[in-house]
Amino acid sequence: MLAKPIYELVPYGYFFLGISCITLANDYVPTLIGVILFLLGANIWRMRSEARRTDHSSQRVKQKKLRYYYEFKPFIIFISAFTLMQWTQNELVSVISILLCIAAGVILSMRVLNRHSHSLLH
């Protein structure tokens, strides 16, 4: 069993390793490994977030189809935009990638705030 501080840092370690692989090596294999590591961190983060939700279950949107896409969407947007920014040298693509990274951050922060609300009337 891991100590709590280490346990809490595991998904962020995966995020950091994945982004480092993409940033430091301009080859397909390290990029693929980086994307996989990032998505593994996203999966750990998603499972913990789901287990720690404090919002009332009646407020949750019931989704059966595309549930995993919905859960992973901000992570997919972020890692796609970041990888695109690393692999292209076009200024327009870089600006669009930065905007997509910001949009992913906004989506993720809205979800965190929503999942930890205590009100039944939103």
Side-chain angles (χ1 to χ4, degrees):
M1 181 125 173
L2 292 173
K4 185 168 178 152
I6 295 171
Y7 175 79
E8 293 297 327
L9 291 176
V10 168
Y12 304 107
Y14 277 104
F15 292 148
F16 178 74
L17 286 173
I19 288 174
S20 296
C21 284
I22 294 169
T23 303
L24 297 176
N26 287 333
D27 195 16
Y28 294 109
V29 174
T31 299
L32 181 62
I33 291 170
V35 169
I36 291 170
L37 285 171
F38 187 86
L39 292 177
L40 284 173
N43 192 39
I44 294 170
W45 189 91
R46 179 197 60 82
M47 289 189 301
R48 287 186 187 173
S49 176
E50 188 70 28
R52 296 174 179 173
R53 288 181 83 156
T54 59
D55 61 331
H56 196 273
S57 61
S58 65
Q59 287 182 311
R60 298 178 190 166
V61 176
K62 305 293 184 221
Q63 289 184 348
K64 295 197 187 237
K65 294 181 180 179
L66 303 174
R67 177 174 168 246
Y68 287 107
Y69 171 71
Y70 173 80
E71 292 289 334
F72 283 107
K73 184 164 75 171
F75 300 106
I76 292 170
I77 291 171
F78 179 82
I79 199 65
S80 299
F82 187 80
T83 304
L84 190 63
M85 187 172 23
Q86 289 297 315
W87 277 83
T88 60
Q89 302 302 321
N90 188 338
E91 290 180 17
L92 180 61
V93 172
S94 294
V95 170
I96 292 171
S97 296
I98 290 170
L99 292 174
L100 285 172
C101 288
I102 292 169
V106 168
I107 292 170
L108 199 57
S109 63
M110 287 172 42
R111 288 197 188 158
V112 168
L113 291 173
N114 187 39
R115 288 181 178 193
H116 295 290
S117 67
H118 296 285
S119 172
L120 285 176
L121 299 173
H122 235 18

